[in-house]
C-alpha cells in the first residue's frame, strides 16, 4: 500500500445562501493552493482553484474541505491545466477533496485537465456527500503528458479514487490505478490512440426537476454518439460512453486524441448547465 503524508491543515470552502444569493462565507487557502473568487452577477458562487507555480511540484499535497449549503449554486473550476511535475526522491504529489452538497443545492466541479508530466507521481481522492434534493456534477480530467511536445504516458504513477454518496448511501465508487511502466498505454485494452481522458459523474435525487433536465441532456449525448454498425474506432477523434450507474447516478466517459477533440463536448455541457434553472450563466465564457 502506498502511503502519502497528509497535511494537518486543510483549505476550506463554504458557500451559503445569503439574502437569496449564493455567497462564499468561508475561504481558507493553504499553500500551494490559491482560491480565487470572481464576482458573479447571478445566483451562483464562482470559485477558481489555482496555485502559485501553475501546477504541483513533487510532494505537494492539497487537502480541501468543501461545503455547499442548502439552496446554493456553486461552480468550481481551475485557472488552467494543473501540471504535475516530476518526482523528487520518489515523493508522491497528491490532492484530496471532501465535499458536501446540502438540500436543494447545485454544485458543478469542472476543472481543466491534470497534466501528468514525465516521471511524475500523482494520487488523488474525492469523496462527496449529497443530501436529498441536492445535485452534484463532477468532472475529472487527465492528460497523458505534454503531448504537444511529444511527451505521452511518461509519468510514473497515477492513482484516483472518487466516491459519491446520496443521503449516506454509496452510489459511486470509482478507483483507477495506472503505471505506464507496467502497462502498455497505447494498447487497445488501455488508451490506444487517445491522450485526453474525461470522466463526468452526475448524482442527485431523480425526482428533482433539475436532475431530469440534466439527465435528458446526458441521454441526448448518448444517443448522438452511439456507435453504428461497422464502427471504426481508429477513425474517431473521440469516443464517448454514458451509463446510468444507479437510479440517481450517471457516469460519462470520453477519450480524445487531444484536448481539443473533447472541447465540443465540454462546450455542449456548459451551455446546458447555463440554463436559468441551473447555473444561470456559463462560467467558462469568462475564462476564454
Amino acid at each position: 500500500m502506498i502511503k502519502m503524508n497528509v497535511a494537518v491543515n486543510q483549505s476550506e470552502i463554504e458557500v451559503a445562501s445569503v439574502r437569496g444569493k449564493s455567497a462564499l462565507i468561508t475561504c481558507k487557502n493553504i499553500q500551494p493552493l490559491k482560491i480565487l473568487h470572481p464576482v458573479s452577477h447571478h445566483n451562483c458562487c464562482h470559485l477558481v482553484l489555482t496555485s502559485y507555480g501553475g501546477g504541483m511540484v513533487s510532494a505537494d499535497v492539497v487537502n480541501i474541505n468543501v461545503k455547499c449549503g442548502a439552496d446554493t449554486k456553486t461552480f468550481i473550476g481551475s485557472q488552467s491545466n494543473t501540471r504535475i511535475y516530476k518526482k523528487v526522491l520518489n515523493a508522491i504529489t497528491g490532492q484530496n477533496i471532501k465535499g458536501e452538497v446540502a438540500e436543494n443545492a447545485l454544485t458543478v466541479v469542472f476543472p481543466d485537465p491534470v497534466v501528468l508530466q514525465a516521471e511524475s507521481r500523482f494520487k488523488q481522492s474525492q469523496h462527496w456527500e449529497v443530501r436529498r434534493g441536492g445535485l452534484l456534477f463532477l468532472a475529472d480530467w487527465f492528460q497523458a503528458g505534454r503531448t504537444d511536445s511529444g511527451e505521452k504516458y511518461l509519468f510514473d504513477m497515477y492513482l484516483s479514487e472518487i466516491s459519491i454518496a446520496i443521503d449516506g448511501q454509496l452510489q459511486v465508487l470509482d478507483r483507477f490505478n495506472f503505471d505506464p511502466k507496467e502497462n502498455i498505454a497505447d494498447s487497445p485494452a488501455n488508451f490506444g490512440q487517445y491522450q485526453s481522458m474525461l470522466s463526468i459523474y452526475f448524482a442527485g435525487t431523480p425526482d428533482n426537476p433539475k436532475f431530469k433536465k440534466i439527465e435528458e441532456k446526458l441521454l441526448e449525448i448518448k444517443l448522438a454518439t452511439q456507435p453504428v454498425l461497422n464502427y471504426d474506432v481508429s477513425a474517431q477523434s473521440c469516443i464517448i460512453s454514458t451509463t446510468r450507474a444507479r437510479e440517481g447516478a450517471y457516469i460519462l466517459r470520453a477519450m480524445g486524441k487531444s484536448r481539443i477533440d473533447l472541447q465540443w463536448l465540454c462546450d455542449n455541457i456548459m451551455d446546458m448547465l447555463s440554463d436559468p434553472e441551473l447555473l444561470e450563466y456559463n462560467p467558462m465564457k469568462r475564462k476564454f
Side-chain angles (χ1 to χ4, degrees), residues 113-168:
V114 169
V115 179
L116 302 163
Q117 296 190 6
E119 299 182 46
S120 63
R121 306 182 77 203
F122 182 62
K123 179 180 180 180
Q124 73 150 344
S125 69
Q126 295 196 53
H127 302 291
W128 289 87
E129 174 69 37
V130 182
R131 299 299 178 189
R132 182 164 184 80
L135 296 177
L136 172 67
F137 195 94
L138 170 65
D140 181 52
W141 197 352
F142 82 92
Q143 191 82 11
R146 292 167 288 189
T147 52
D148 290 342
S149 302
E151 181 184 272
K152 187 172 95 169
Y153 298 110
L154 297 180
F155 57 88
D156 283 1
M157 184 193 77
Y158 175 51
L159 283 80
S160 175
E161 179 176 296
I162 294 176
S163 68
I164 302 172
I166 300 177
D167 279 339

Side-chain angles (χ1 to χ4, degrees), residues 88-284:
V88 176
L89 299 177
N90 220 34
I92 300 175
T93 302
Q95 177 171 280
N96 307 291
I97 298 176
K98 182 179 179 182
E100 297 178 18
V101 181
E103 296 82 357
N104 301 315
L106 168 63
T107 300
V108 176
V109 183
F110 210 127
D112 292 281
V114 169
V115 179
L116 302 163
Q117 296 190 6
E119 299 182 46
S120 63
R121 306 182 77 203
F122 182 62
K123 179 180 180 180
Q124 73 150 344
S125 69
Q126 295 196 53
H127 302 291
W128 289 87
E129 174 69 37
V130 182
R131 299 299 178 189
R132 182 164 184 80
L135 296 177
L136 172 67
F137 195 94
L138 170 65
D140 181 52
W141 197 352
F142 82 92
Q143 191 82 11
R146 292 167 288 189
T147 52
D148 290 342
S149 302
E151 181 184 272
K152 187 172 95 169
Y153 298 110
L154 297 180
F155 57 88
D156 283 1
M157 184 193 77
Y158 175 51
L159 283 80
S160 175
E161 179 176 296
I162 294 176
S163 68
I164 302 172
I166 300 177
D167 279 339
Q169 298 294 316
L170 185 65
Q171 298 295 311
V172 174
L173 177 58
D174 195 10
R175 290 176 174 146
F176 179 75
N177 181 4
F178 193 78
D179 181 347
K181 292 180 180 179
E182 296 183 0
N183 302 274
I184 302 174
D186 58 4
S187 165
N190 292 317
F191 302 111
Q193 62 191 322
Y194 300 103
Q195 304 177 34
S196 191
M197 277 57 66
L198 172 65
S199 295
I200 290 176
Y201 309 87
F202 172 53
T205 308
D207 58 6
N208 185 333
K210 296 177 183 178
F211 182 96
K212 295 183 180 299
K213 183 180 289 290
I214 297 175
E215 179 184 41
E216 289 173 1
K217 184 62 179 180
L218 292 178
L219 293 176
E220 179 184 314
I221 292 172
K222 179 179 181 179
L223 291 173
T225 57
Q226 275 186 333
V228 295
L229 293 176
N230 301 319
Y231 186 76
D232 182 5
V233 173
S234 64
Q236 308 301 314
S237 60
C238 70
I239 54 175
I240 300 171
S241 171
T242 305
T243 304
R244 188 175 75 170
R246 294 286 190 275
E247 184 181 2
Y250 280 84
I251 299 177
L252 182 150
R253 309 276 196 197
M255 297 199 300
K257 292 182 179 179
S258 70
R259 172 183 174 158
I260 298 301
D261 291 322
L262 295 180
Q263 193 59 50
W264 70 269
L265 175 63
C266 298
D267 293 342
N268 212 312
I269 289 172
M270 288 308 304
D271 285 342
M272 175 267 295
L273 291 172
S274 65
D275 186 281
E277 295 183 24
L278 301 174
L279 290 179
E280 302 179 31
Y281 77 115
N282 186 345
M284 294 290 195

